[in-house]
């Protein structure tokens, strides 16, 4: 079984995680059989290690980690690969696929540009 972890930074503000949780809920609405979890680097629970342990207990054999970062800073470039390397050592039978940050995806950049344009709400609404 394959799983996806949506990985965010974390915040003291509990409302901060709502967009990431909403992406997970949308994924489940699209495919109720998908296995998706959210995990966070700091402050917000759960962290990446405990989320991975939960998935291992469920029998998952592959994990795709999607960094939910718009910018590609130190956390995405340095901290996350180190965390994934430690997880690979802790779970040698598990396949990890670390995706680029969502902010590197051309589709996300195009959508953000459309949203930022004047009268964007009418353009985006008519496209859906």
């Amino acid at each position: 079984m394959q799983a996806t972890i949506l990985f965010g930074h974390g915040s003291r503000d509990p409302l901060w995680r709502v967009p990431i949780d909403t992406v997970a809920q949308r994924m489940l609405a699209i495919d109720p059989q998908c296995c998706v979890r959210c995990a966070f680097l700091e402050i917000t629970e759960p962290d990446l290690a405990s989320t991975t342990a939960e998935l291992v207990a469920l029998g998952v054999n592959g994990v795709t980690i999607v960094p939910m970062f718009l910018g590609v800073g130190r956390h995405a470039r340095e901290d996350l690969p180190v965390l994934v390397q430690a997880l690979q050592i802790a779970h040698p039978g598990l396949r990890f696929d670390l995706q680029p940050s969502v902010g590197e995806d051309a589709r996300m950049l195009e959508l953000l540009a459309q949203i930022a344009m004047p009268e964007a709400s009418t353009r985006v609404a008519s496209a859906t």
Side-chain angles (χ1 to χ4, degrees):
M1 174 179 18
Q2 182 71 25
T4 300
I5 297 176
L6 304 176
F7 184 74
H9 184 275
S11 172
R12 284 179 176 71
D13 184 343
L15 295 178
W16 175 90
R17 69 178 287 157
V18 170
I20 296 173
D21 290 335
T22 301
V23 171
Q25 292 165 4
R26 288 290 307 131
M27 289 174 68
L28 287 168
I30 293 166
D31 179 5
Q33 301 302 313
C34 81
C35 183
V36 60
R37 299 290 188 276
C38 299
F40 303 93
L41 178 64
E42 56 191 25
I43 303 169
T44 306
E45 295 292 329
D47 64 11
L48 189 58
S50 60
T51 300
T52 301
E54 174 196 351
L55 293 170
V56 167
L58 291 173
V60 165
N61 56 17
V63 174
T64 299
I65 300 170
V66 181
M68 302 297 283
F69 300 118
L70 289 180
V72 184
R74 185 178 54 85
H75 290 314
R77 280 191 326 269
E78 298 173 16
D79 299 338
L80 184 52
V82 169
L83 290 172
V84 173
Q85 185 176 37
L87 289 172
Q88 189 66 74
I89 292 168
H91 305 283
L94 199 57
R95 289 182 329 274
F96 289 94
D97 176 19
L98 178 55
Q99 297 289 308
S101 295
V102 295
E104 296 179 79
D105 189 303
R107 296 168 297 176
M108 176 62 79
L109 297 174
E110 178 64 27
L111 180 58
L112 289 171
Q114 289 179 22
I115 292 169
M117 293 292 292
E119 301 177 22
S121 61
T122 58
R123 233 186 342 276
V124 172
S126 65
T128 56

